[in-house]
Amino acid sequence: MKKINVGIIGLGTIGTGVYKILKERRASIKDKYNLDINIKKCCDISLSSKRKLKIKTDVFTKDFKEVVQAKDIDIVVELIGGTNIAYTISKEALKNKKHLVTANKALLAHKGKELRKISAVNKVNIGYEASVGGGIPIISSIKDSLLINKITSFCGILNGTCNYILTLMSNGIDFSKALGMAQKEGFAEADPTLDINGKDTAHKVSVLCQTCFNLNLDMKDIYTQGIKEVTSYDIEIAKNLGYEIKLLGISRIKKNKLDARVHPTLIPQNNPLSNVENEFNAVLVNSKNLGPFMAYGYGAGMLPTASAVVSDLIRVSRAGNLYETDKDEIKIDVIKFENIKSRFYIRMMIKDEPGNLGKVTSILGKYKINIDKAIQNNKNLKLKAIPVIIMTKSLELKVLNKAILAIKKNKLIQNESLVIPVEDFA
Ligand code: HSE
């Protein structure tokens, strides 16, 4: 039986889950895979998990060097998060010829290229299933089954916190209460701004671009917009029009150009992504030959994410020296967000004065913007400006931005307008 010694660094939510699953499933893993995964060392700066999990003193350490430098450890599991100490730990582990398993999407988004180089030089593997979609086996599905086809695009609901908040908002709960509830459930990042401002999703888009397209993107090439500007009102109107609003991570290669972005999106209710609710995540991948493939499951939470880490431990243990080489990176032009072509949902707060709606639509007409639907809802009659929703036919965002600027200059609207692309999955 192959024996693998593992060192876990970081005993927070996911680390605790990994410890529990490995203890509980050790015998079954032995049985199924002829593999004995032994927790050799656990490291954390706090003693609370040691106490809670009843970890023996000779197995526990506060010093990560005792894990990354240990001669008898085969795989280091990094579950610290962030890009500082986690980076040092990962680099040191790989340089010391230890395989690395991580859930750290920020680290892979910012330092993935470098870490992959180090892993190739040292002939060790990096497992990162838990970094995207929590417990959903999306990375292994892409690597093992989908890459035989040419992947052309992916779209995903990749942040459980945002999806949970948007679901609660669609039931009339306001944003801050919904965020508090997500934090209480343990879905949110230590700093929830990374969830809300879309950066967590952008990190996952970057990891998926590495996996699907062999592309190392600069984070600034992924247009990123969070969910803070979306209101319950927008969700209600979109629903009545046949759409759900979700925070989507989208990337596609079209005519040799890459489109990569994160933003609230209107999804037609007949697309399965529109039914993904609460903390669930889902990723829809399109590839030649196979067509669409969708994976769905818990995108956050202790045991689902820990299950992805443990599955990586088994995969990496069994792969032995079948390490991934540092493939030649593809170079590609990135489409700027303002150049995307889409249908759009626009919410403008039009000043409640005679003729203003006509003036707004006539400016849109001057820019050759074709209106599909316009809805004026007088729910907020006491306000000096009334929300008007306009659905456009397909156009370049740049043109729409110019038209909105002209409307603003004519003092026809109050506040910033909200513009949300409609995803047609073409
Ligand atoms: N904060 C993340 C989420 C956890 O809400 O999806 C998993 O990356």
Side-chain angles (χ1 to χ4, degrees):
M1 181 166 309
K2 189 169 177 184
K3 185 162 183 179
I4 296 289
N5 284 328
V6 170
I8 304 171
I9 306 183
L11 289 173
T13 311
I14 309 172
T16 299
V18 171
Y19 187 90
K20 284 184 177 167
I21 296 180
L22 279 178
K23 285 279 165 195
E24 201 185 293
R25 306 291 295 162
R26 187 170 180 180
S28 144
I29 295 170
K30 274 187 192 169
D31 243 26
K32 241 188 169 59
Y33 300 104
N34 204 25
L35 191 66
D36 183 16
I37 301 186
N38 172 44
I39 304 174
K40 190 79 186 173
K41 273 272 180 250
C42 289
C43 170
D44 201 286
I45 46 170
S46 141
L47 286 174
S48 77
S49 304
K50 176 185 183 286
R51 278 190 218 113
K52 265 190 236 149
L53 295 167
K54 298 190 176 70
I55 300 173
K56 286 191 190 139
T57 302
D58 62 331
V59 173
F60 187 84
T61 176
K62 282 188 170 188
D63 180 4
F64 73 80
K65 290 198 188 85
E66 282 187 35
V67 181
V68 295
Q69 292 173 359
K71 292 237 161 13
D72 52 357
I73 284 181
D74 306 293
I75 307 179
V76 171
V77 183
E78 180 279 306
L79 298 170
I80 300 269
T83 52
N84 295 325
I85 309 173
Y87 173 53
T88 312
I89 289 170
S90 304
K91 215 166 49 174
E92 288 307 305
L94 295 170
K95 282 186 176 166
N96 288 324
K97 299 197 186 304
K98 297 178 188 330
H99 302 291
L100 176 71
V101 170
T102 179
N104 192 334
K105 54 263 161 177
L107 178 72
L108 295 167
H110 291 283
K111 307 281 186 193
K113 185 178 174 182
E114 184 189 340
L115 291 175
R116 272 196 305 279
K117 275 214 164 89
I118 303 174
S119 78
V121 169
N122 290 284
K123 298 187 171 19
V124 282
N125 287 309
I126 304 178
Y128 56 95
E129 182 67 74
S131 66
V132 178
I136 307 173
I138 183 66
I139 301 294
S140 51
S141 300
I142 292 170
K143 284 186 172 180
D144 296 346
S145 307
L146 300 185
L147 275 181
I148 49 161
N149 303 303
K150 191 178 163 66
I151 295 178
T152 50
S153 70
F154 64 81
C155 292
I157 294 172
L158 300 169
N159 186 275
T161 303
C162 286
N163 207 42
Y164 188 76
I165 291 174
L166 291 172
T167 306
L168 293 188
M169 283 172 70
S170 76
N171 293 320
I173 295 173
D174 74 31
F175 174 84
S176 33
K177 190 167 176 204
L179 171 61
M181 289 165 79
Q183 282 174 305
K184 219 169 129 200
E185 295 289 342
F187 309 139
E189 295 298 301
D191 176 2
T193 45
L194 286 182
D195 294 301
I196 304 308
N197 66 16
K199 288 220 167 97
D200 176 75
T201 301
H203 289 147
K204 292 165 181 168
V205 166
S206 166
V207 174
L208 285 176
C209 281
Q210 287 168 17
T211 312
C212 294
F213 306 133
N214 189 24
L215 277 174
N216 287 299
L217 290 184
D218 202 315
M219 286 309 293
K220 71 171 170 23
D221 286 333
I222 304 175
Y223 171 81
T224 305
Q225 183 191 334
I227 61 166
K228 238 184 156 172
E229 281 71 39
V230 178
T231 62
S232 301
Y233 177 75
D234 297 306
I235 298 173
E236 183 189 324
I237 296 280
K239 226 182 244 303
N240 291 338
L241 290 168
Y243 300 91
E244 301 296 331
I245 300 182
K246 301 283 179 192
L247 184 73
L248 272 198
I250 301 170
S251 184
R252 53 170 60 88
I253 295 183
K254 234 180 182 176
K255 294 186 186 150
N256 257 333
K257 288 201 168 165
L258 181 87
D259 178 10
R261 49 196 155 99
V262 173
H263 51 69
T265 311
L266 257 72
I267 304 179
Q269 279 159 354
N270 63 6
N271 186 283
L273 280 175
S274 75
N275 296 321
V276 176
E277 295 197 323
N278 297 315
E279 73 273 35
F280 281 95
N281 279 198
V283 191
L284 182 61
V285 183
N286 272 296
S287 61
K288 297 252 164 79
N289 305 320
L290 177 65
F293 162 85
M294 188 165 128
Y296 167 91
Y298 284 116
M302 179 196 280
L303 293 174
T305 313
S307 132
V309 172
V310 174
S311 72
D312 258 349
L313 282 171
I314 295 171
R315 243 187 317 272
V316 168
S317 303
R318 298 177 84 206
N321 286 336
L322 271 178
Y323 60 94
E324 284 183 41
T325 51
D326 182 35
K327 290 170 273 180
D328 279 342
E329 202 187 317
I330 293 169
K331 296 263 179 283
I332 197 163
D333 285 338
V334 178
I335 301 173
K336 282 198 184 135
F337 186 56
E338 59 168 16
N339 292 334
I340 65 158
K341 236 181 143 195
S342 172
R343 299 192 289 135
F344 292 97
Y345 166 102
I346 314 163
R347 171 177 35 85
M348 290 181 192
M349 300 302 288
I350 300 189
K351 288 185 190 165
D352 192 13
E353 289 159 13
N356 272 359
L357 182 57
K359 287 179 198 163
V360 166
T361 52
S362 108
I363 292 175
L364 292 175
K366 269 191 204 141
Y367 283 85
K368 302 204 174 356
I369 295 171
N370 209 346
I371 296 173
D372 193 33
K373 282 189 185 75
I375 300 164
Q376 180 176 312
N377 190 320
N378 288 352
K379 250 186 169 181
N380 302 304
L381 265 181
K382 279 183 213 136
L383 298 175
K384 290 203 173 106
I386 289 174
V388 171
I389 307 301
I390 293 172
M391 295 288 290
T392 71
K393 296 220 165 136
S394 184
L395 78 145
E396 212 179 358
L397 178 58
K398 194 161 55 185
V399 177
L400 179 58
N401 286 341
K402 279 186 194 155
I404 293 176
L405 196 65
I407 293 167
K408 222 168 150 181
K409 279 191 181 150
N410 279 277
K411 301 195 176 3
L412 298 168
I413 50 175
Q414 274 186 353
N415 308 333
E416 287 304 311
S417 300
L418 178 72
V419 175
I420 306 182
V422 178
E423 180 57 49
D424 284 314
F425 299 94

